[in-house]
């Protein structure tokens, strides 16, 4: 038997390769609304954050506040971008292997609920995840780095969160997993990963740092035959 009873996945950067798409939409739309910002700077302040936290950090760091015109444009562009979204290589195989092994899993994401389900559908993962896809609205809006979302997701699986593995790619998400009492696996397989990501994830308590879904499957003990 594996030393865990459930697996809790982040979405962006773990199951779907969406961070570069989102970053491009943000940077282009911000520039059009008075805040030119370099893509790498935006990535450092935004990856793994909730939408409101990104706006708050932009205000704190740059003194910029979103206008009423900004938000509808951003929303529309997000929805357009995420209609053509790739799953990260091996993600579907990981979920299939967990299902075949009878190990429950869920997705817990800081994405807004509609975009969360849009991304899963676009990447071909919605049927595998089923009803176990959760966003901060399930826990009163307290997204990562707060632990409540992971605690809630584990409870919906009927599993104690301390018997779960959390799979994350960002410091806010990893912080949430550790604070919830789960074992943290850092999966650094997406296109947006920075050179210092491994050290950052280890510093917050990652038990393993993995570079592909194949490595993740091996670490979870659910390797596929392919």
């Amino acid at each position: 038997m594996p030393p865990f009873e459930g697996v809790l996945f982040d979405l962006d950067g773990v199951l779907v390769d969406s961070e570069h798409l989102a970053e491009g939409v943000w940077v282009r739309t911000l520039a059009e609304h008075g805040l030119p910002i370099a893509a790498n700077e935006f990535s450092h302040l935004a990856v793994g954050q909730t939408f409101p936290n990104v706006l708050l950090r932009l205000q704190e760091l740059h003194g910029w506040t979103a206008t009423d015109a900004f938000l509808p444009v951003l929303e529309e562009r997000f929805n357009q971008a995420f209609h053509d979204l790739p799953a990260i290589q091996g993600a579907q195989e990981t979920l299939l292997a967990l299902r075949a092994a009878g190990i429950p899993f869920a997705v817990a994401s800081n994405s807004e609920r509609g975009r969360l389900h849009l991304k899963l559908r676009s990447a071909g993962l919605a049927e595998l995840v089923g009803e176990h896809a959760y966003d901060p609205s399930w826990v009163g809006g307290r997204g990562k780095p707060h632990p409540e979302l992971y605690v809630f997701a584990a409870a919906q699986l009927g599993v104690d969160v301390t018997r779960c593995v959390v799979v994350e790619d960002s410091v806010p998400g990893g912080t949430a997993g550790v604070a919830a009492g789960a074992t943290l696996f850092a999966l650094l397989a997406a296109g947006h990963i920075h050179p210092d990501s491994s050290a950052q994830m280890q510093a917050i308590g990652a038990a393993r740092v993995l570079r592909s879904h194949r490595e993740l499957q091996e670490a979870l003990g659910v390797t596929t035959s392919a």
Side-chain angles (χ1 to χ4, degrees):
M1 292 292 293
F4 57 89
E5 298 173 4
V7 183
L8 307 175
F9 292 94
D10 178 40
L11 179 66
D12 300 287
V14 168
L15 295 177
V16 299
D17 205 356
S18 54
E19 294 287 8
H20 271 318
L21 283 173
E23 176 187 288
V25 170
W26 271 104
V27 169
R28 176 162 61 102
T29 310
L30 285 168
E32 292 172 358
H33 288 79
L35 181 60
I37 185 170
N40 63 339
E41 180 186 353
F42 179 81
S43 178
H44 276 293
L45 71 86
V47 168
Q49 298 285 351
T50 62
F51 192 102
N53 277 352
V54 173
L55 294 177
L56 180 62
R57 297 193 73 189
L58 289 171
Q59 185 176 41
E60 291 173 345
L61 294 172
H62 295 279
W64 181 89
T65 301
T67 64
D68 290 341
F70 173 80
L71 296 174
V73 172
L74 191 71
E75 292 275 355
E76 181 181 357
R77 288 177 176 174
F78 272 148
N79 292 336
Q80 291 174 348
F82 295 141
H83 274 291
D84 184 18
L85 180 65
I88 290 178
Q89 183 175 6
Q92 185 177 62
E93 289 77 10
T94 296
L95 300 186
L96 285 168
L98 287 169
R99 187 164 73 177
I103 299 169
F105 57 88
V107 171
S109 170
N110 271 349
S111 291
E112 179 272 333
R113 184 176 297 186
R115 277 193 294 277
L116 165 59
H117 290 281
L118 171 62
K119 292 172 187 176
L120 287 170
R121 290 193 304 270
S122 181
L125 302 176
E127 184 177 347
L128 279 168
V129 174
E131 64 182 354
H132 293 297
Y134 305 106
D135 65 278
S137 69
W138 289 94
V139 289
R142 283 176 65 82
K144 310 166 197 178
H146 302 292
E148 287 90 336
L149 187 55
Y150 276 127
V151 174
F152 178 83
Q156 303 314 298
L157 296 177
V159 178
D160 189 315
V161 70
T162 64
R163 300 290 297 165
C164 289
V165 170
V166 159
V167 185
E168 272 284 355
D169 68 316
S170 73
V171 169
T175 299
V178 171
T183 298
L184 174 61
F185 283 4
L187 179 61
L188 308 180
H192 70 281
I193 298 301
H194 297 287
D196 56 354
S197 294
S198 177
Q200 290 177 343
M201 295 302 278
Q202 288 177 310
I204 63 169
R208 300 285 296 272
V209 176
L210 309 162
R211 299 290 178 174
S212 69
H213 269 274
R214 172 61 72 180
E215 290 185 14
L216 175 61
Q217 292 157 23
E218 292 172 354
L220 295 173
V222 294
T223 52
T224 62
S225 57

